[in-house]
Amino acid sequence: MSLDVQLAHDHAAWVQFCKKENAVQMRNAIKEVGPDAVDKLGNGSVKDLQIHLLKNSASARKLFASTGEIAPPAGRQLQESASQMLKRQQKVAAAVEHHIARETEDLQMQIRTEAKERRRLQGELKHLRTAERMRRQAPIQVKGATRFDPDPDFVPKPLPPCTKRAVLSVDQRATGLTFFEMG
């Protein structure tokens, strides 16, 4: 498989993976907060959304029930979830950068080996062409043209007698061949 095709295929696979990941995250968010919370966010009422998330979050209820604490204000919980989301994004970004760096090294090594192979094949082709040229027979040397002297005893033939026939059409099919249709 060509390197260009492989790079395009890998890129398309990565884009498809990112789209699937975004869809899963959106599905999980809607599952946790519910569609009415998404509607509240769409309407622009962020305070209502914060209160709704704090009341309806199953993970927040479990956490506060296990520790026996009172639920923190909505702003603090949002900050914590935002920091967790930021850490998760940084972890994913680091993993992606590591994966890209590893693939880049592999691809650069593949490019180097393919370039080395191409140079070797170019050298072989050059050698074969040189050998083929040497095997061909050398062109035959032609002596220089000498001056053309007409025969002094040459007498031109007399022209045929004139007739009353006329030329109807002329057809020139090849150089030096002219056909006359007489009538």
Side-chain angles (χ1 to χ4, degrees), residues 13-25:
W14 181 252
V15 168
Q16 187 178 14
F17 173 75
C18 290
K19 285 181 182 178
K20 285 182 182 178
E21 178 68 24
N22 287 339
V24 168
Q25 286 182 359

Side-chain angles (χ1 to χ4, degrees), residues 28-29 31-34 51-66 77:
N28 289 341
K31 185 187 208 180
E32 185 174 341
V33 298
I51 293 169
H52 177 76
L53 288 175
L54 189 58
K55 288 179 183 175
N56 295 333
S57 174
S59 57
R61 270 188 265 139
K62 286 179 188 175
L63 175 69
F64 295 126
S66 65
Q77 184 181 8

Side-chain angles (χ1 to χ4, degrees), residues 67-120:
T67 59
E69 295 180 13
I70 303 172
R76 183 170 157 219
Q77 184 181 8
L78 285 177
Q79 285 178 348
E80 289 175 3
S81 63
S83 67
Q84 289 175 354
M85 182 65 87
L86 182 62
K87 287 178 186 177
R88 189 179 310 144
Q89 287 177 350
Q90 288 173 348
K91 186 176 178 181
V92 168
V96 167
E97 286 178 12
H98 176 70
H99 181 73
I100 289 173
R102 190 167 23 102
E103 280 188 359
T104 303
E105 290 174 10
D106 293 342
L107 291 175
Q108 285 176 348
M109 178 62 90
Q110 185 178 354
I111 288 170
R112 282 193 292 270
T113 57
E114 287 180 3
K116 190 183 289 183
E117 178 70 11
R118 184 184 56 81
R119 284 192 297 269
R120 184 186 65 78

